[in-house]
Amino acid sequence: MRSLLAFLAILALSACASTGRYVSSLNPWIGKPVASVLKQWGPPLRVIDLTSGEKEYVYEKSAQVYESHYGGQGIDTLNPRTEVCKTMWYADKNGIVERVDVTGSHCESP
């Protein structure tokens, strides 16, 4: 039982590191045409015209994950939940990527 909990703790910590690597992998796209992002990533979930003249391209990826809970009487249960990673690309009015933001969890490079 303790080894399972230790494994889950390590898994949670590695998820944070994975998200950091994910964000780092997106930075080279900054300064490139958003058309390059669209070609690589495919169509976004939605495109939002911002008042600043920028466009926001929104991508979402969901993953089913399982959490282990110890019931206190020797009962261990796995509870499923859905985690969502949202990646938002921002392009200026000339179609050049200015920045990228990531929210959520379970974010991994494609």
Side-chain angles (χ1 to χ4, degrees):
M1 173 45 100
R2 287 184 183 160
S3 62
L4 176 62
L5 292 175
F7 171 75
L8 292 173
I10 291 169
L11 188 62
L13 290 174
S14 68
C16 294
S18 175
T19 299
R21 284 191 302 272
Y22 175 69
V23 171
S24 294
S25 75
L26 303 177
N27 288 334
W29 292 93
I30 295 172
K32 307 268 191 216
V34 74
S36 300
V37 174
L38 298 174
K39 184 176 180 180
Q40 178 76 27
W41 284 59
L45 177 65
R46 63 184 160 273
V47 178
I48 302 168
D49 291 315
L50 304 175
T51 57
S52 63
E54 291 179 307
K55 286 192 177 195
E56 178 183 3
Y57 299 83
V58 180
Y59 292 84
E60 286 185 7
K61 184 180 110 183
S62 60
Q64 189 77 17
V65 296
Y66 294 87
E67 234 175 6
S68 178
H69 291 283
Y70 180 66
Q73 297 177 0
I75 300 170
D76 192 23
T77 59
L78 292 176
N79 296 326
R81 73 173 191 278
T82 301
E83 292 188 353
V84 177
C85 175
K86 184 192 273 187
T87 305
M88 294 135 320
W89 298 93
Y90 296 89
D92 66 16
K93 56 187 163 193
N94 298 315
I96 303 299
V97 176
E98 292 184 318
R99 68 185 193 282
V100 60
D101 289 331
V102 175
T103 62
S105 57
H106 229 69
C107 298
E108 299 171 351
S109 296

